[in-house]
Amino acid sequence: MRSKTSSFNKEIIKQDFRNVGWISIVYFLGLFFIVPMQLFMVLSREEPIITDDRGLFGQVFAFELQVLFLLVMPLLMAVFLFRYLHVKGASNFAHSFPMRRGKLFNHHIFSGIILLLLPILLNYLILLIASGVTDVTEYYTITNASYWLWLFVTMSFLIFIAGVFVGTLTGLSAVQGILTYILLFLPAGLYALTSFHLSTYIKGYSADMVLESSFQYFSPLADLLQFGGYGPDQVKVPVEVIALLIYGLVAVAFYAVSLWLYKNRSIESAGRALAVSALNPVFTFGVTFCFALFGGMYFTVSQYAYTWMIAGYFIGGTFGFAAATMLLEKTWRVFNWKHLKRWSGYGLAVAILVAIIPLLWQNYESYVPAQSEVEKVYISGGYWQYRELTNQDIEIPYITSEEAIQSSLDLHEQLIEISNPLSRGEDYFFFVYQLEDGSEIYRQYRVDEEVVREEKKAVYETKEYKKIKYPVLGLESSDVNQLVIHPNAAPGEEELYDPEKISAFMEVLKQDIHQLSYEQMMAPQGLSSGVSFTLDGMQENPYHLQIYPSFENTVEWMKREGFYEKMMIQAEDIQHAEVYKWPEDRDFPHDYDHYVYNRLKEDNVKPLEVSESDQIVKLLNGQENQESGNYIVAFYFDERNENHYNLLSFDEGDAPNFIKEHFE
């Protein structure tokens, strides 16, 4: 009996319940009002509430508020349960008990786990009872509720044990709370900072794709927060099964290390920022390194220059070193010769590491697969276009012909030659290679259009690339429920439901797209109208596009159907136009027409006012999306709304004579 008594001390458990039981009560009430109470309220409504198939993880049950309690309450439990470790008197008293340290530690861990599990289990029990007495299948299933239980139990245990682990490393409760979140975010943060760092040095490296595809896997907190009830439609749960199993194993590892640290922790470490003095250099270096990368990122994003990036490394690293030193020594008086020498050492180590990381990727930068290795290739204007197709589970329109693949490789090689990772060019390229061995290669570049004009033209005028740029080429008219044409600068729209008319329109539209030249694709003439498609009752899809007056077959078909004048902008739709001389000696960070036009307006440059119908007709032959030219034309449709306008531009040779004469 004596050994049993010593192995389990009820008084310690009772004391823990008295000290931190309020956290368990708040946890229960928070989850109860967000989940079971919300269920009772929606069941009592006469009109059903709109639900989704995410069940307890959806918007009906405010999953983002559930996550708030999940992130906060387990950490509070760890902080308050082990508060005695950070107060010298309390620490001495607790460790004066006739009980081994390991057993005392396990008693507190047992108390914390029980107090965290009870609120979750009670709410789960309420959900089970509700499902047994009424039909709740519109809101959740038993499987969905069981997964909710598993998720909250695992994540609560992980955050609690992570908090305990940090509590054994530090002697300050405030530092414990902050460092726990930093610890759980640290892998993802370092991953993001390193990815950005690589993207500024390595040609072709796509930080967007890397972070989007795997960022959440480096932090359980990022995994939870990235879902938030609003993730992609195919994602039904915030954390995948494999990830939950891994988080459980990580929590067990945290427990084992925490137990060892607790047993070997010095009682005198209470009140110190780090209880283990041997970790001081590691902590200082880590903070210095992270702040150096953050400083480099901040100044790079704001200035896009390597000199400012290096300055950011220096400023960020200096700030990080000073902050870490102040925290460890608990004083701001760290600006002396001793710390200057230490700062130099840490700064040199950080600089070497920052410089070495990109060198490890040199082969990545220069690699272009041989044509014989490539099965197919996809090229788009950025990663997000590719992501949209994959998220909507749409078949990727790859380039497969040998000639088109070779043109793509030629473009890729030229981009490697002339691209600069810090380029502020407006032209984006994203490559996806499917190789014969089944592997995939991703590259992304950003340059000015003119520097790769010929290589780009060779790719863009292929039929296969046009299927990428204009997904409607891969759409069958039989799949379309509704087709809507709407002018972009005037009210009204034309809706087509007749399958024969839809088929006829898509036939002439595809003819016009196949006939487009590179120049027409990049800078089409005239003001456009939009076309959108509804498939299976859904309007959200990538098949929308713009049609222009240069689409001859489409225009003729619209005229025959009798709605061309309403659906395409006519001269009589325009209230007046303003023509500006495109400034020759300009010092603008951007050259696209909207940016230049706004700068001219801000500088109060006087334009040529045009209101005569015959002159406006000539102005409608201008080009969209120009990044250079001689004249900019702004079309206004309502004198009461100066913000409602469209822009076209002219080169010197294409401009109407009355414009040239005015600006001579």
Side-chain angles (χ1 to χ4, degrees), residues 421-575:
L422 288 187
S423 169
R424 304 178 74 175
E426 304 299 331
D427 216 0
Y428 288 84
F429 298 87
F430 182 73
F431 292 78
V432 180
Y433 291 103
Q434 289 270 2
L435 303 186
E436 294 288 350
D437 61 7
S439 61
E440 291 186 344
I441 296 174
Y442 303 89
R443 296 291 187 273
Q444 182 167 294
Y445 303 90
R446 181 181 179 182
V447 297
D448 292 320
E449 176 188 349
E450 294 301 319
V451 297
V452 289
R453 180 181 178 85
E454 294 304 318
E455 292 83 1
K456 186 177 176 182
K457 181 177 180 178
V459 174
Y460 278 38
E461 289 187 345
T462 63
K463 291 183 178 179
E464 291 172 294
Y465 177 78
K466 286 181 178 179
K467 287 185 178 181
I468 296 175
K469 186 171 180 62
Y470 304 101
V472 68
L473 291 175
L475 180 63
E476 298 294 334
S477 60
S478 58
D479 297 329
V480 180
N481 309 126
Q482 179 194 29
L483 187 153
V484 179
I485 307 172
H486 47 88
N488 295 326
E493 60 184 25
E494 185 71 23
E495 298 179 356
L496 301 181
Y497 295 94
D498 185 349
E500 293 185 1
K501 288 188 176 182
I502 291 176
S503 177
F505 177 83
M506 292 184 64
E507 182 178 350
V508 295
L509 178 64
K510 291 180 179 181
Q511 290 176 7
D512 285 326
I513 293 175
H514 282 302
Q515 294 171 6
L516 289 176
S517 66
Y518 170 79
E519 290 73 19
Q520 290 173 321
M521 295 167 67
M522 293 297 99
Q525 281 188 310
L527 297 178
S528 63
S529 293
V531 180
S532 57
F533 302 84
T534 301
L535 282 66
D536 297 326
M538 301 295 293
Q539 294 182 339
E540 294 296 327
N541 56 67
Y543 299 110
H544 48 80
L545 80 160
Q546 304 296 314
I547 57 175
Y548 294 85
S550 58
F551 284 35
E552 296 179 356
N553 296 302
T554 306
V555 166
E556 287 300 320
W557 185 85
M558 292 171 65
K559 288 180 178 178
R560 291 197 301 270
E561 294 297 323
F563 52 79
Y564 169 76
E565 288 76 12
K566 291 183 179 180
M567 293 301 105
M568 300 295 289
I569 297 298
Q570 309 297 315
E572 51 267 25
D573 298 322
I574 299 170
Q575 197 269 334

Side-chain angles (χ1 to χ4, degrees), residues 4 9 12 29 42 52 56 96 116 191 196 235 286 306 351 359 361 439 491-492 503 509 540 550 589 651 663:
K4 291 184 178 179
N9 193 314
I12 293 179
L29 292 176
V42 296
D52 58 38
L56 299 177
S96 66
L116 288 173
Y191 185 62
F196 180 85
V235 178
Y306 284 112
L359 297 178
W361 292 70
S439 61
S503 177
L509 178 64
E540 294 296 327
S550 58
D651 293 325
F663 287 101

Side-chain angles (χ1 to χ4, degrees), residues 12 23 48 87 99 121 135 145 200 268 319 439 492 504 561 574 584 630 640 663:
I12 293 179
I23 298 177
V87 180
M99 178 182 290
L121 291 172
D135 183 13
T200 59
E268 291 76 14
F319 179 85
S439 61
E561 294 297 323
I574 299 170
E584 296 179 0
N630 293 90
R640 296 168 298 181
F663 287 101

Side-chain angles (χ1 to χ4, degrees), residues 299-310 422:
F299 284 97
T300 301
V301 170
S302 60
Q303 298 297 327
Y304 283 93
Y306 284 112
T307 53
W308 277 105
M309 181 192 301
I310 294 172
L422 288 187

Side-chain angles (χ1 to χ4, degrees), residues 184-329:
L184 294 174
F185 267 121
L186 183 62
L190 279 175
Y191 185 62
L193 289 172
T194 304
S195 294
F196 180 85
H197 176 72
L198 290 173
S199 71
T200 59
Y201 286 99
I202 306 301
K203 295 179 181 181
Y205 186 87
S206 176
D208 292 337
M209 187 208 70
V210 170
L211 294 178
E212 172 68 20
S213 60
S214 54
F215 174 76
Q216 70 275 17
Y217 299 124
F218 286 82
S219 167
L221 304 190
D223 210 352
L224 279 172
L225 295 173
Q226 193 173 48
F227 178 81
Y230 301 96
D233 290 340
Q234 66 267 31
V235 178
K236 308 304 181 187
V237 294
V239 180
E240 299 173 0
V241 172
I242 297 298
L244 276 180
L245 293 173
I246 293 173
Y247 295 153
L249 294 175
V250 171
V252 173
F254 273 141
Y255 165 76
V257 177
S258 301
L259 177 60
W260 183 84
L261 287 171
Y262 188 88
K263 289 180 178 179
N264 295 276
R265 175 190 171 97
S266 172
I267 297 177
E268 291 76 14
S269 61
R272 297 207 303 251
L274 283 182
V276 183
S277 300
L279 293 178
N280 286 1
V282 177
F283 177 78
T284 303
F285 177 80
V287 173
T288 304
F289 178 68
C290 290
F291 272 91
L293 288 181
F294 182 80
M297 180 181 71
Y298 174 80
F299 284 97
T300 301
V301 170
S302 60
Q303 298 297 327
Y304 283 93
Y306 284 112
T307 53
W308 277 105
M309 181 192 301
I310 294 172
Y313 292 147
F314 177 80
I315 295 171
T318 302
F319 179 85
F321 174 81
T325 304
M326 290 179 190
L327 181 62
L328 291 176
E329 300 191 4

Side-chain angles (χ1 to χ4, degrees), residues 60-356:
V60 173
F61 296 100
F63 182 69
E64 59 275 12
L65 290 180
Q66 297 182 49
V67 169
L68 178 63
F69 279 90
L70 179 55
L71 296 182
V72 172
M73 305 316 293
L75 181 57
L76 286 180
M77 184 69 71
V79 170
F80 282 95
L81 198 57
F82 288 87
R83 175 82 176 95
Y84 70 91
L85 282 178
H86 307 143
V87 180
K88 290 185 178 180
S91 179
N92 291 333
F93 177 75
H95 293 112
S96 66
F97 295 155
M99 178 182 290
R100 292 182 179 179
R101 280 194 176 191
K103 290 182 179 180
L104 178 62
F105 177 81
N106 287 327
H107 274 73
H108 293 313
I109 291 293
F110 177 79
S111 299
I113 292 175
I114 294 299
L115 289 171
L116 288 173
L117 292 185
L118 280 176
I120 303 170
L121 291 172
L122 289 175
N123 279 283
Y124 174 71
L125 182 60
I126 294 172
L127 294 174
L128 287 184
I129 294 172
S131 66
V133 298
T134 187
D135 183 13
V136 296
T137 54
E138 285 292 322
Y139 304 101
Y140 66 90
T141 63
I142 299 299
T143 302
N144 180 255
S146 299
Y147 200 91
W148 178 88
L149 172 67
W150 184 18
L151 171 70
F152 270 73
V153 168
T154 302
M155 298 304 292
S156 294
F157 180 55
L158 172 63
I159 296 171
F160 170 67
I161 294 296
V164 173
F165 168 72
V166 173
T168 60
L169 285 176
T170 183
L172 299 171
S173 295
V175 174
Q176 178 186 2
I178 296 171
L179 286 185
T180 299
Y181 288 128
I182 291 177
L183 172 67
L184 294 174
F185 267 121
L186 183 62
L190 279 175
Y191 185 62
L193 289 172
T194 304
S195 294
F196 180 85
H197 176 72
L198 290 173
S199 71
T200 59
Y201 286 99
I202 306 301
K203 295 179 181 181
Y205 186 87
S206 176
D208 292 337
M209 187 208 70
V210 170
L211 294 178
E212 172 68 20
S213 60
S214 54
F215 174 76
Q216 70 275 17
Y217 299 124
F218 286 82
S219 167
L221 304 190
D223 210 352
L224 279 172
L225 295 173
Q226 193 173 48
F227 178 81
Y230 301 96
D233 290 340
Q234 66 267 31
V235 178
K236 308 304 181 187
V237 294
V239 180
E240 299 173 0
V241 172
I242 297 298
L244 276 180
L245 293 173
I246 293 173
Y247 295 153
L249 294 175
V250 171
V252 173
F254 273 141
Y255 165 76
V257 177
S258 301
L259 177 60
W260 183 84
L261 287 171
Y262 188 88
K263 289 180 178 179
N264 295 276
R265 175 190 171 97
S266 172
I267 297 177
E268 291 76 14
S269 61
R272 297 207 303 251
L274 283 182
V276 183
S277 300
L279 293 178
N280 286 1
V282 177
F283 177 78
T284 303
F285 177 80
V287 173
T288 304
F289 178 68
C290 290
F291 272 91
L293 288 181
F294 182 80
M297 180 181 71
Y298 174 80
F299 284 97
T300 301
V301 170
S302 60
Q303 298 297 327
Y304 283 93
Y306 284 112
T307 53
W308 277 105
M309 181 192 301
I310 294 172
Y313 292 147
F314 177 80
I315 295 171
T318 302
F319 179 85
F321 174 81
T325 304
M326 290 179 190
L327 181 62
L328 291 176
E329 300 191 4
K330 296 198 293 185
T331 178
W332 61 270
R333 297 178 179 179
V334 297
F335 304 99
N336 52 52
W337 178 248
K338 182 186 74 171
H339 289 121
L340 178 61
K341 290 191 294 183
R342 292 181 62 243
W343 169 83
S344 300
Y346 282 111
L348 179 62
V350 168
I352 292 173
L353 184 58
V354 168
I356 286 177

Side-chain angles (χ1 to χ4, degrees), residues 347-368:
L348 179 62
V350 168
I352 292 173
L353 184 58
V354 168
I356 286 177
I357 291 175
L359 297 178
L360 302 176
W361 292 70
Q362 292 303 305
N363 292 334
Y364 176 97
E365 182 179 63
S366 60
Y367 176 71
V368 177

